[in-house]
Amino acid sequence: MQIQDSVFIVSGGASGLGEATVRALHAAGGKLVIADVGVEKGEALAAELGDRVAFIKTDITSEADGQAAVDLAVSRFGGLQGLINCAGVGPAWKVLGKEGPHPLDAFVRTVNINLVGAFNMVRLAAAAMAKGEAGADGERGVIVNTASVAAFEGQVGQAAYAASKAGVVGMTLPIARELARSGI
């Protein structure tokens, strides 16, 4: 993927690994949409980096928010060539902790953000990329899903996080095989 002048969405791009990804892609000449729930940090980063960066408040579990991020990339920068999924949460709850059993809502929230949210962004970004012009090598875009070693070697207190990241690992190869025919 040629980064210079390509357009990328970075979910979770306002802090941590996502912010580092935004900075690296920006330094390489990319155009970026920061899709994050952290409004203050996201707006500050976009303002710091300048006119090749836009921020949009995005709950990646929301179809409307995800589509708005994709639409912003296309309308502001003329297309979409990349998605880097960095958004995620990592709560630490034991299945049988001092306060009782692991809260089910915390497990569901973690899976919804880390797995369902990542899938939501993949499907919406892929639809936009597939409509784009293919390069000389047939490439239309790239999608990077962030997982964790916890997908394979989760620790005590990581049941929700490990399950969600194992799901990300499990979906990535079949998605890659499917989207390869579209140059993604």
Side-chain angles (χ1 to χ4, degrees), residues 121-163:
M121 294 305 296
V122 165
R123 70 188 188 86
L124 297 170
M129 289 178 203
K131 293 177 188 171
E133 196 76 26
D137 60 358
E139 185 178 57
R140 285 192 170 84
V142 64
I143 297 172
V144 177
N145 288 323
T146 304
S148 167
V149 70
F152 308 101
E153 293 285 337
Q155 301 300 310
V156 171
Q158 288 187 324
Y161 182 74

Side-chain angles (χ1 to χ4, degrees), residues 97-117:
K98 292 178 184 175
E99 301 82 32
H102 188 307
L104 183 59
D105 62 339
F107 188 93
V108 170
R109 178 178 182 269
T110 302
V111 171
N112 275 338
I113 293 170
N114 296 357
L115 177 57
V116 177

Side-chain angles (χ1 to χ4, degrees), residues 42-66:
E43 287 177 345
L45 182 58
E48 174 192 335
L49 296 178
D51 65 347
R52 286 189 289 121
V53 181
F55 170 77
I56 185 166
K57 182 180 180 203
T58 308
D59 171 354
I60 64 168
T61 67
S62 162
E63 185 169 3
D65 281 11

